[in-house]
Amino acid sequence: MLLTVDIGNTNITMGLIDRNCHIAGTFRVTTKAQRTSDEYGIHLLEFCRISNVPISQVEDVIISSVVPKVMHSFTNSIRKYLHKEPVIVGPGIKTGVSIKTDFPKEVGADKIVDAAAVYHLHGGNAIIIDFGTATTFDYINEKGEFLYNVIMPGMEIGAQALWQQAAKLPEIEIVKPASILGKNTDSSMRAGVVYGYIGSTEYIVRKMKEEIGRDDIRVYATGGLGRVIYNETDIIDEYDPDLAFKGMKIIYEKNRGR
């Protein structure tokens, strides 16, 4: 069993995945730089317990992180509680993906694992949308070349800006309202956030296809709020909440695979 860890700006998501790419369990905790290795260790042990996976069955660990401040405590928790030296997605790691942007070092590990998953599972020529703290749109071609990306504020960031910057607007839960025609502040804000984001997503995808010059590009989505958008548009071909876990497994096999 491989433990895959995706450390993002808002959450740390963990997945246990077997050799047949079956997800045995997932776990999510908030990302807090001030946590100790023991606190993370308790989360690791609890995750294995509720997934019915004994520690002895965790063969190895791979981490994708965009939060450097968390790495010291988290990697130490793995050494202390799981007795493993984790593989870190970063420089020197074989991914099967070639970064062809102007500044390859600027491309985060989260983008690389998603791209590796889509390229190896679906063959490339794809736009990958990751609905996270920021929402990213990345294009990878049939050669496994990561060529273009678009970054916009995530849905939660946009909603928070509303109630934090406008004194009379309340905090809302991000769910699709019954209609775009809001008749109160709450439903009006939800309509603006959700439908506005659907429209932004559709326009960016169409514009990327137009400028790339291909209309046969498939679109894959992932990320916590991705399902909200996927259910409301035909522009996304497939939603996979476990895309990062699958990408990390592929990368792991290229580096320490059995």
Side-chain angles (χ1 to χ4, degrees):
M1 196 72 70
L2 177 67
L3 173 62
T4 57
V5 183
D6 183 15
I7 301 178
N9 290 294
T10 303
N11 293 305
I12 297 173
T13 54
M14 295 177 271
L16 284 164
I17 186 168
D18 66 19
R19 295 183 182 184
N20 296 318
C21 218
H22 170 72
I23 308 293
T26 62
F27 195 71
R28 183 185 298 262
V29 297
T30 55
T31 305
K32 292 184 179 179
Q34 66 268 31
R35 282 200 175 107
T36 66
S37 59
D38 290 322
E39 289 176 298
Y40 283 126
I42 291 170
H43 286 306
L44 289 169
L45 296 179
E46 180 65 9
F47 174 36
C48 289
R49 185 190 68 79
I50 64 175
S51 300
N52 295 314
V53 175
I55 295 298
S56 60
Q57 289 185 15
V58 179
E59 299 174 273
D60 225 329
V61 183
I62 183 169
I63 301 174
S64 164
S65 174
V66 295
V67 190
K69 290 182 179 179
V70 170
M71 289 299 289
H72 179 74
S73 292
F74 201 94
T75 53
N76 280 341
S77 73
I78 291 169
R79 297 183 184 109
K80 183 174 181 179
Y81 288 89
L82 300 184
H83 312 294
K84 305 293 181 185
E85 186 62 36
V87 175
I88 310 296
V89 179
I93 289 292
K94 298 175 184 177
T95 65
V97 172
S98 178
I99 309 300
K100 296 292 187 178
T101 57
D102 290 342
F103 304 102
K105 291 183 179 180
E106 293 181 351
V107 177
D110 53 344
K111 294 170 174 285
I112 293 171
V113 299
D114 287 345
V118 168
Y119 175 58
H120 288 92
L121 296 175
H122 304 290
N125 187 34
I127 292 171
I128 307 155
I129 312 176
D130 190 343
F131 293 92
T133 305
T135 295
T136 57
F137 301 73
D138 305 317
Y139 176 73
I140 183 168
N141 67 13
E142 295 96 334
K143 298 178 182 179
E145 296 173 328
F146 185 111
L147 295 176
Y148 315 112
N149 66 296
V150 175
I151 303 172
M152 67 182 289
M155 209 181 322
E156 288 185 344
I157 288 179
Q160 288 171 6
L162 277 176
W163 66 68
Q164 289 177 358
Q165 299 299 319
K168 289 190 175 183
L169 293 182
E171 185 172 341
I172 60 169
E173 181 183 2
I174 301 176
V175 293
K176 176 178 169 284
S179 168
I180 196 172
L181 305 176
K183 298 186 70 174
N184 55 66
T185 301
D186 187 89
S187 63
S188 298
M189 289 174 67
R190 290 182 183 181
V193 171
V194 176
Y195 285 105
Y197 221 82
I198 293 167
S200 297
T201 298
E202 292 178 339
Y203 180 82
I204 289 173
V205 169
R206 285 197 299 267
K207 192 65 176 176
M208 288 181 73
K209 288 183 176 182
E210 175 189 321
E211 295 201 12
I212 292 169
R214 301 185 63 169
D215 59 7
D216 62 340
I217 298 171
R218 289 185 62 80
V219 181
Y220 299 90
T222 190
L225 290 171
R227 190 181 301 277
V228 176
I229 305 302
Y230 171 68
N231 289 333
E232 301 300 328
T233 179
D234 294 329
I235 204 113
I236 299 171
D237 295 293
E238 184 177 324
Y239 171 71
D240 187 348
D242 300 321
L243 198 62
F245 300 147
K246 294 173 183 177
M248 280 186 271
K249 182 179 186 298
I250 289 166
I251 292 171
Y252 171 80
E253 290 174 344
K254 288 181 175 293
N255 292 272
R256 285 193 190 173
R258 283 143 174 88

